[in-house]
């Protein structure tokens, strides 16, 4: 088993419950951790035998582009797509952070974290 981490994927998106958030948008950060069997790719040195982090990044950017009221829904879509599209992944953790959220105060970010494991 191995771990691939992608940290600080920066995206500008339009999530939130407020109408203004859908018009103005804001900065987001996404962090991913995927668990997969990396032993074959360690031997073959072949991209086809591992989890392509370009594919992971593409999934994140595409799902972040779909407006949602709640970050939980965005995170769930990311989890579902990774497990559906990348069979080598056994488990995925995602953290979606809204930077400088409009919650009345000096708050750097609000983060939701979710995980999903492939059903055996």
């Amino acid at each position: 088993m191995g771990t691939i981490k992608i940290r600080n994927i920066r995206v500008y998106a339009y999530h939130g419950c407020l109408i203004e958030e859908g018009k103005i948008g804001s900065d987001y950060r996404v962090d991913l951790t995927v668990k997969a069997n990396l032993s074959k790719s360690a031997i073959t040195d072949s991209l086809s035998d591992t989890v392509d982090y370009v594919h992971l990044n593409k999934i994140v950017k595409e799902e972040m582009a779909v407006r949602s009221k709640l970050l939980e829904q965005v995170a769930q879509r990311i989890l579902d797509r990774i497990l559906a599209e990348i069979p080598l992944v056994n488990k995925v953790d995602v953290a979606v952070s809204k930077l400088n959220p409009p919650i009345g105060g000096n708050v750097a970010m609000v983060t939701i974290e979710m995980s999903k494991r492939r059903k055996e």
Side-chain angles (χ1 to χ4, degrees):
M1 189 63 64
T3 303
I4 296 175
K5 297 179 182 181
I6 303 179
R7 296 287 175 255
N8 206 16
I9 301 170
R10 295 288 186 130
V11 181
Y12 197 85
Y14 298 87
H15 307 298
C17 294
L18 302 175
I19 294 171
E20 296 80 22
E21 292 175 299
K23 293 178 182 176
I24 299 168
S26 60
D27 290 307
Y28 291 83
R29 170 186 169 160
V30 179
D31 298 305
L32 283 180
T33 301
V34 298
K35 298 280 188 181
N37 185 341
L38 304 178
S39 59
K40 185 175 180 182
S41 60
I43 295 167
T44 66
D45 196 29
S46 175
L47 182 60
S48 63
D49 292 330
T50 193
V51 178
D52 184 353
Y53 46 82
V54 172
H55 190 175
L56 293 171
N57 188 57
K58 178 179 179 266
I59 290 171
V60 168
K61 289 190 173 190
E62 288 176 356
E63 292 306 326
M64 288 297 291
V66 177
R67 176 164 162 68
S68 293
K69 292 179 184 173
L70 301 178
L71 297 181
E72 291 89 329
Q73 186 183 70
V74 180
Q76 188 65 55
R77 289 197 316 264
I78 292 169
L79 295 171
D80 291 343
R81 271 198 62 195
I82 290 172
L83 289 174
E85 294 179 22
I86 308 174
L88 195 58
V89 173
N90 295 317
K91 182 178 184 254
V92 59
D93 301 317
V94 64
V96 181
S97 303
K98 181 182 282 193
L99 306 179
N100 302 310
I103 60 175
N106 187 8
V107 177
M109 71 178 118
V110 173
T111 303
I112 64 99
E113 296 178 354
M114 295 175 68
S115 299
K116 190 169 184 181
R117 183 177 304 274
R118 184 173 303 285
K119 293 180 179 159
E120 306 269 337

